[in-house]
Amino acid sequence: MSNFGLYEDRVRNFEWSVAEKELEYTDGNVLNIGWYCSDRICLKGKADKTALFYEGFGGIKKQYSFNDIRLAGNTIGNFLRNIGIKNEDRVCLFLDRIPELYFSFLGVLKIGAIVQPLFSAFGDESLFVRLENAQTKAIITQRKHLSKVRKVLERLPNLEFIVIVDHNKTKKLESRELPFSLQESKPVENFEIYPTRAESPSVLHYTSGTTGQPKGVKHVHYSIISQYLTAKWVLDLQEDDIYWCTADPGWVTGTSYGIIGPWSLGITQCVLDAGFSAQAWYKFIEDYRITMWYSAPTAIRSLMKAGEDIVSDFDLSSLRHLASVGEPLNSEAVIWSQKMFGKLFHDTFWQTETGSIMITNFPGMKVKPGSMGKSFPGITGVVLDAKKYEPITEPGQVGLIAFKPGWPAMMRSYWNNEEKYREKFINGWYLTGDRSSIDSEGYFWFVGRDDDVINTGGHLVSPFEVESALLEHPAVGESAVVAKPDEINMEVVKAFITLKPGFNPGPDLELEIMNFIRKKLSPIAMPQSIEYMEKLPKTRSGKIMRRLLHAKEWGEDIGDISTLEND
Ligand code: PRX
């Protein structure tokens, strides 16, 4: 029996209080996500139900009940509180997808501190700018990532504690480092959870824009209202589901729907921390009898590339519902999934800033392959005219995707950046920075971003960040970074550079520069291709014309270049 109901009915009778009632939350009371995702589920009689099936590198398998994750969250919370972490202090999680990552998320929230998850493949510079901006007090990490933390430590006076979850006792601890072992700690049965309220800050996710450093998107505990309801209605999570969200909690999908959504509903979920291969993914679905699968277009395209034959080697008949997020889901992928799994991938659109799904192919609704679907009930989504910032009423016209503010999971600010936050609003609308059209039936058809941010494999990369990092390489004189089309990742990072005198262009230098960025920023931000240029195209005022380079890569009309610098 499905629990989403008819889309039209849901829209007509919608109130967020539906979720408040189901979560037994009343306005003004204590509201703590850590408690809702573990203690409450145990109190509902599901203490022994499996919360997490975990599979890591080398085939390591683990299984945890809701009581296990409740205790683990308490134990980590207790440790952090004892070393002096207080409510609203920022605690960064710089961990691979190991169980401690998920439990620390709950533990940090349980003591009222703010959890700052960061993708563990980030290099030292990416790590530094985010820790510095958030004035992070503690970082929880693994031995394998310590060298990156140690490299930037001196520049981070606010970072008081480096908690290592897999410390090897034969190794020496350095300044500010503390070992913590979940296995060796006495489980904390009774724990005083910090009485956070609806508007208490909860999660701080960093996201990249076109200019400037990444921004910290601040969420509050009340976000659970949106995440719970969208996980229930859009992902259609039901009591006996075995759910798999393929996203890493370093990104918002991995927390909103890889932790909060499913666990607030008391759903069993699976985590696979073993990189991508079609074989491994299909086997994982078969082994755990996964019923609900939330993934991303790049992964789907990679599976398509792996071919049809391999699909028949596995029993994937457990799959009941599929959804996707992060980048445009092309109609071919939707049609392919219907053919392969007998189920359509349901596209969902949202952002780090929105905290929860905003536009969606609601289950049961007619799916138009290639469309993102319609606004979630209770969400007013429009496209705005780019000049007047007024809603476009004519079907099919492209405009800026915008939402009427006020849904529970919406960000409350950008950390220490009120100005950038305010820029996101105009005429009473929240601007997403994306372009789309809406057809006569209310379906959104994604067109593209309204800025230069590169979306590679569902991850946003700021051209500014890569350009700045490139300039730190001794050979690079100037740099311009744009998106380049890619069959699998849709877009990849491409860099145009000029060299300083004395350096010779060539494949060795190209590799060296790529590696430099991979280490400094991340494998995602690493340019997949580098083109040497004598000079970069600039406006008369000296600004590099990324637009021109972008158009060249995409084989598009170059447009008006009257401001181009003349020789
Ligand atoms: O450009 C849109 C794209 O991803 C951006 C948000 O990225 P991020 O904040 O990292 O969050 C990603 C996961 C929630 C959007 O501004 N995007 C997201 N979903 C879609 C999409 N583009 C096209 N179709 C989608 N379904």
Side-chain angles (χ1 to χ4, degrees):
M1 183 51 197
S2 292
N3 55 25
F4 44 81
L6 262 185
Y7 177 75
E8 286 73 18
D9 291 347
R10 292 297 193 198
V11 171
R12 214 173 304 117
N13 305 316
F14 188 81
E15 281 179 39
W16 287 110
S17 59
V18 172
E20 292 187 0
K21 274 195 204 103
E22 290 186 12
L23 288 168
E24 296 154 303
Y25 166 73
T26 32
D27 197 18
N29 278 0
V30 169
L31 176 60
N32 186 296
I33 290 176
W35 182 84
Y36 267 96
C37 289
S38 55
D39 300 63
R40 179 173 179 270
I41 305 302
C42 294
L43 290 173
K44 292 272 150 203
K46 293 201 259 182
D48 295 332
K49 181 176 175 178
T50 300
L52 176 65
F53 284 115
Y54 168 81
E55 206 173 302
F57 274 98
I60 300 169
K61 290 187 183 146
K62 291 183 182 162
Q63 184 175 349
Y64 301 89
S65 67
F66 275 98
N67 194 45
D68 293 334
I69 70 166
R70 177 183 74 84
L71 292 174
N74 287 354
T75 310
I76 295 169
N78 189 50
F79 173 83
L80 293 172
R81 189 178 272 163
N82 285 341
I83 62 172
I85 304 296
K86 304 220 159 43
N87 61 307
E88 302 207 14
D89 282 343
R90 275 73 66 204
V91 179
C92 170
L93 308 183
F94 194 51
L95 297 160
D96 293 351
R97 270 185 266 182
I98 56 173
E100 281 89 341
L101 169 60
Y102 297 81
F103 309 154
S104 301
F105 186 88
L106 302 180
V108 173
L109 293 176
K110 282 186 172 193
I111 60 167
I114 302 175
V115 60
Q116 181 191 13
L118 289 182
F119 187 43
S120 63
F122 273 153
D124 53 282
E125 191 61 26
S126 292
L127 179 66
F128 170 73
V129 294
R130 290 160 176 83
L131 295 180
E132 187 194 39
N133 184 265
Q135 297 182 299
T136 308
K137 190 160 175 185
I139 183 168
I140 305 180
T141 192
Q142 291 157 272
R143 259 181 309 166
K144 64 195 281 202
H145 302 305
L146 260 186
S147 61
K148 295 189 274 190
V149 183
R150 286 176 179 168
K151 209 165 164 188
V152 292
L153 188 60
E154 282 312 309
R155 291 191 283 156
L156 294 167
N158 294 304
L159 189 65
E160 290 180 33
F161 307 103
I162 301 160
V163 180
I164 307 161
V165 296
D166 58 352
H167 177 60
N168 175 340
K169 286 180 186 137
T170 64
K171 295 264 179 335
K172 211 171 139 275
L173 290 165
E174 293 192 7
S175 147
R176 308 184 220 177
E177 292 174 359
L178 283 177
F180 170 78
S181 161
L182 190 58
Q183 291 76 28
E184 289 169 23
S185 303
K186 188 168 175 286
V188 175
E189 182 64 45
N190 298 310
F191 188 63
E192 197 184 319
I193 289 169
Y194 187 85
T196 45
R197 310 268 154 179
E199 292 302 308
S200 305
S202 55
V203 184
L204 189 62
H205 268 298
Y206 275 75
T207 187
S208 298
T210 316
T211 56
Q213 294 294 3
K215 294 161 291 192
V217 177
K218 188 176 101 177
H219 288 289
V220 295
H221 283 263
Y222 194 59
S223 71
I224 195 174
I225 299 296
S226 298
Q227 289 146 351
Y228 168 90
L229 203 63
T230 46
K232 183 169 178 179
W233 288 0
V234 177
L235 305 183
D236 189 27
L237 290 177
Q238 301 172 26
E239 187 54 41
D240 295 330
D241 268 327
I242 307 288
Y243 169 63
W244 184 28
C245 169
T246 61
D248 186 300
W251 314 100
V252 73
T253 308
T255 56
S256 289
Y257 297 104
I259 301 180
I260 307 173
W263 281 351
S264 64
L265 281 153
I267 301 294
T268 302
Q269 68 160 330
C270 302
V271 167
L272 175 63
D273 184 23
F276 177 84
S277 93
Q279 185 101 19
W281 276 37
Y282 290 141
K283 182 151 184 356
F284 192 64
I285 295 172
E286 178 180 82
D287 285 352
Y288 291 88
R289 306 287 304 149
I290 286 162
T291 55
M292 200 293 149
W293 183 19
Y294 195 25
S295 199
T298 290
I300 302 164
R301 284 190 291 270
S302 303
L303 293 173
M304 285 169 78
K305 197 161 179 219
E308 300 190 359
D309 290 350
I310 180 173
V311 181
S312 50
D313 292 344
F314 298 90
D315 174 8
L316 307 177
S317 59
S318 56
L319 291 172
R320 180 179 65 75
H321 187 50
L322 319 177
S324 157
V325 64
E327 9 150 22
L329 180 65
N330 37 325
S331 52
E332 295 81 4
V334 178
I335 293 160
W336 177 83
S337 84
Q338 173 72 53
K339 186 168 159 214
M340 289 298 112
F341 315 124
K343 303 277 176 256
L344 294 168
F345 266 99
H346 290 65
D347 197 8
T348 65
F349 169 94
W350 57 292
Q351 305 180 297
T352 308
E353 286 87 340
T354 70
S356 62
I357 295 168
M358 303 299 281
I359 298 173
T360 176
N361 285 280
F362 206 78
M365 191 172 93
K366 177 176 70 176
V367 172
K368 298 187 184 180
S371 156
M372 303 194 293
K374 302 196 201 191
S375 297
F376 182 76
I379 299 292
T380 311
V382 293
V383 294
L384 300 179
D385 174 291
K387 285 203 179 79
K388 294 194 214 124
Y389 296 104
E390 279 165 12
I392 296 173
T393 45
E394 204 177 316
Q397 285 249 28
V398 177
L400 309 171
I401 305 178
F403 299 107
K404 185 87 11 235
W407 65 96
M410 181 178 176
M411 70 162 163
R412 296 305 195 263
S413 68
Y414 285 129
W415 193 259
N416 272 339
N417 202 341
E418 192 58 29
E419 190 186 329
K420 278 259 183 286
Y421 176 69
R422 257 185 271 119
E423 282 171 15
K424 296 295 288 185
F425 300 90
I426 193 152
N427 286 354
W429 295 99
Y430 163 75
L431 288 175
T432 61
D434 289 296
R435 290 177 299 127
S436 168
S437 65
I438 305 178
D439 70 17
S440 56
E441 292 178 293
Y443 285 72
F444 284 73
W445 296 82
F446 187 79
V447 172
R449 287 193 59 98
D450 191 41
D451 56 21
D452 290 341
V453 172
I454 301 164
N455 186 339
T456 179
H459 299 120
L460 303 188
V461 173
S462 150
F464 168 84
E465 234 183 323
V466 185
E467 286 164 2
S468 310
L470 280 166
L471 295 183
E472 286 181 39
H473 189 279
V476 178
E478 287 183 305
S479 66
V481 165
V482 299
K484 171 185 152 86
D486 183 79
E487 192 194 343
I488 299 292
N489 291 288
M490 207 75 156
E491 297 184 348
V492 288
V493 176
K494 165 144 193 192
F496 293 86
I497 57 170
T498 62
L499 293 180
K500 284 188 182 153
F503 289 94
N504 296 320
D508 288 351
L509 181 60
E510 195 176 322
L511 274 183
E512 187 192 309
I513 296 174
M514 286 177 176
N515 222 359
F516 178 77
I517 300 297
R518 183 178 62 77
K519 281 208 186 125
K520 228 177 173 30
L521 299 181
S522 70
I524 297 164
M526 182 184 84
Q528 300 291 316
S529 113
I530 293 182
E531 191 170 324
Y532 300 105
M533 295 189 97
E534 282 297 315
K535 60 191 293 195
L536 296 176
K538 288 192 194 145
T539 61
R540 283 192 208 110
S541 58
K543 221 173 141 226
I544 293 169
M545 288 185 92
R546 274 200 209 118
R547 181 167 58 90
L548 208 83
L549 297 167
H550 187 273
K552 175 172 150 340
E553 284 309 308
W554 293 78
E556 289 163 357
D557 182 16
I558 288 171
D560 177 17
I561 51 165
S562 58
T563 58
L564 192 65
E565 176 189 63
N566 289 325
D567 279 324

